[in-house]
Structures are given as C-alpha cells and as structure tokens.
Amino acid sequence: MPDYLDDLRFAHVLADAADAATTDRFKALDLKVETKPDMTPVSEADKAAEELIRGHLQRARPRDAILGEEYGLEGTGPRRWVIDPIDGTKNYVRGVPVWATLIALMEAGEGGYQPVVGVVSAPALGRRWWAAKGHGAFSGRSLASASRLRVSRVSRLADASFAYSSLSGWEEQGRLDGFLDLTRAVWRTRAYGDFWPYMMVAEGSVDMCAEPELSLWDMAANAIIVTEAGGTFTGLDGRPGPHSGNGAASNGLLHDELLGYLDQRG
C-alpha cells in the first residue's frame, strides 16, 4: 500500500503557502468581496489562495487533477487534489478567526475517489490538523512537532457533545424535527461551524457533528482526519466518505444513533 507521506509533506507546503496569503489579507480594510451565483461570498483572498495552490500543484504534480471551490476541475487521472482555499469565508470577511484552508488528495478506487491525505490549516487560530491513510491523524505546529489525535469513547447520547453550523439548512431540508430531538437527547450542543467541529471530533473534545448540505471540498480533508483518528465519517444516508452532499462525523460509538435522528424528513 502506498504510504502517502511524500504527498502529506507536500500538502503541508501547500498549506504554508496558503496561510501566508490568507493571513496577509485577513482583516484588511480594502479586502474585495463578491457574491457568487449561489449567493455565497467569495473574497479576493479565496481566489488568490486557490490560484497559489494550483500553481504549486501544476509545477510539482503535473499529472494530478485539481478540484477547487473557486475554479472547478482541471485534469483527469486516478489522483485528484481537492481544495477549499478558505472554508469559513463569511467568518473571514467579518474578522472572525474560525476559517481554514482544506487540502485533500483523493485516489480512485472501489466506490469512486476516496481521500488518502488531508490537511486542515487554521492560521488565525494557530492550529493545523492532518492525516494520511494508514498513518493516523495528528495536530501541531509541524510534522516534527505533533500530537496524535484520537476520538472520544463517549458511548451514551446523554453524555455526548454535538456540534453543528446553523439551523436553517436543517429546516430547509425538512430535517429540523429530528435535529431538535437530537439536541434534546444529548448533554451539550454548540454551533461551532465549518471545519472546526470535525477537527474537535477527531481530537475527542466533541463527540459528533453534522451538516445538511456540503460540497466535496468541504468534506474530503475532514473525512480522512476523522477516520484516521478512529472516528466515522458518512453522509446522512450512512454512505461512508464525503460523497453524499452532506456530512455526519462521530466517534463511531454514537454514529447509528446520530443518523437515526438526522436521516429523517418531516
């Protein structure tokens, strides 16, 4: 089995470059922000970070395909880098430090492309998380200064902490009743949002999280980090991996109950 460690090291190089670009424009008074056709914001920093990452990839990995939020799919083949230049753009443009660059490498296999490397870098929080298939998940300042991540062992909903992004998406999909029932069944809920709850699941500080509508670039890096930390990442339909258009992550012990509440429509 490939060890993917060279790819992981390169993903860190990509994250370093993106961090330099995004932090330079964070809280800039002249930051330019546009509205995309789906009515979500995109900043000049989103575009610049993705262009920077694509440039590095085209030079160092010319045979690999690239899928990014801002510029779509380029190239073909069994290996595909999946990029979200700024996950949490709404936070970024308002000066909230909870945003990150998400970088994943996916490889073609049974059931389609699956993530084999993931890096989530949140420079305004001073945090970075990463994983490679078969090598575990870690967090730290660098590859040489890192702590291994492991999910929690909480096995009862009544003792569990559940994180989410917002209520509106659940309501729009007719899943709000199940969502609210879940919030009443658990010990604690918090709306941390975006990449962060998945990283907390991997760290063991949160036991489960879910979002009703996501794109592949929102999930690919998160999925490999959660699973390499010993957790479970699926769609709300229970399908493993980041391909269902939504996401649910847990320590594994609570996953069936999590889906039982959320995979139902009113």
Side-chain angles (χ1 to χ4, degrees), residues 17 22 51 72 77 80 84-85 92 103 108 122 135 146 150 153 163 187 204 208 218 224 226:
T22 53
E51 288 169 352
R80 179 180 295 175
D84 189 343
Y92 184 89
I103 300 169
H135 290 277
R150 289 184 175 83
R153 301 300 298 167
W187 167 62
M208 53 189 183
D218 297 315
I224 183 69
V226 168

Side-chain angles (χ1 to χ4, degrees), residues 167 170-171 173-181 264 266:
L167 293 176
W170 301 102
E171 186 171 28
Q173 291 195 6
R175 301 180 192 265
L176 185 58
D177 288 345
F179 174 88
L180 293 175
D181 286 343
Q264 54 178 289

Side-chain angles (χ1 to χ4, degrees), residues 227-264:
T227 55
E228 284 293 320
T232 300
F233 190 105
T234 72
L236 298 177
D237 57 5
R239 180 158 58 123
H243 296 290
S244 297
N246 45 51
S250 77
N251 62 9
L253 301 174
L254 299 164
H255 208 77
D256 288 345
E257 289 180 278
L258 173 64
L259 297 183
Y261 279 96
L262 298 182
D263 190 25
Q264 54 178 289

Side-chain angles (χ1 to χ4, degrees), residues 24 35 54 56 73 79 97 136 143 170 191 223 233 264:
D24 183 60
T35 300
R54 283 176 179 270
H56 279 283
L73 178 62
R79 288 163 49 97
L143 283 165
W170 301 102
F233 190 105
Q264 54 178 289

Side-chain angles (χ1 to χ4, degrees), residues 77-212:
R79 288 163 49 97
R80 179 180 295 175
W81 294 87
V82 180
I83 311 300
D84 189 343
I86 299 179
D87 183 56
T89 297
K90 292 177 183 177
N91 284 344
Y92 184 89
V93 301
R94 289 297 301 272
V96 178
V98 183
W99 50 271
T101 296
L102 277 54
I103 300 169
L105 172 63
M106 303 185 75
E107 274 200 348
E110 291 186 22
Y113 286 86
Q114 299 298 331
V116 294
V117 167
V119 173
V120 173
S121 189
L125 295 176
R127 300 292 309 278
R128 184 177 290 185
W129 304 261
W130 62 89
K133 185 178 180 181
H135 290 277
F138 296 84
S139 178
R141 294 285 183 177
S142 67
L143 283 165
S145 176
S147 301
R148 185 151 191 169
L149 303 179
R150 289 184 175 83
V151 296
S152 75
R153 301 300 298 167
V154 173
S155 60
R156 296 175 65 246
L157 276 184
D159 300 325
S161 179
F162 169 59
Y164 61 97
S165 286
S166 68
L167 293 176
S168 58
W170 301 102
E171 186 171 28
E172 290 165 6
Q173 291 195 6
R175 301 180 192 265
L176 185 58
D177 288 345
F179 174 88
L180 293 175
D181 286 343
L182 175 62
T183 66
R184 298 180 186 111
V186 298
W187 167 62
R188 191 169 191 252
T189 62
R190 284 294 182 272
Y192 297 110
D194 301 305
F195 68 92
W196 206 6
Y198 299 96
M199 299 303 97
M200 291 181 180
V201 168
E203 292 176 340
S205 54
V206 163
D207 307 304
M208 53 189 183
C209 65
E211 290 180 273

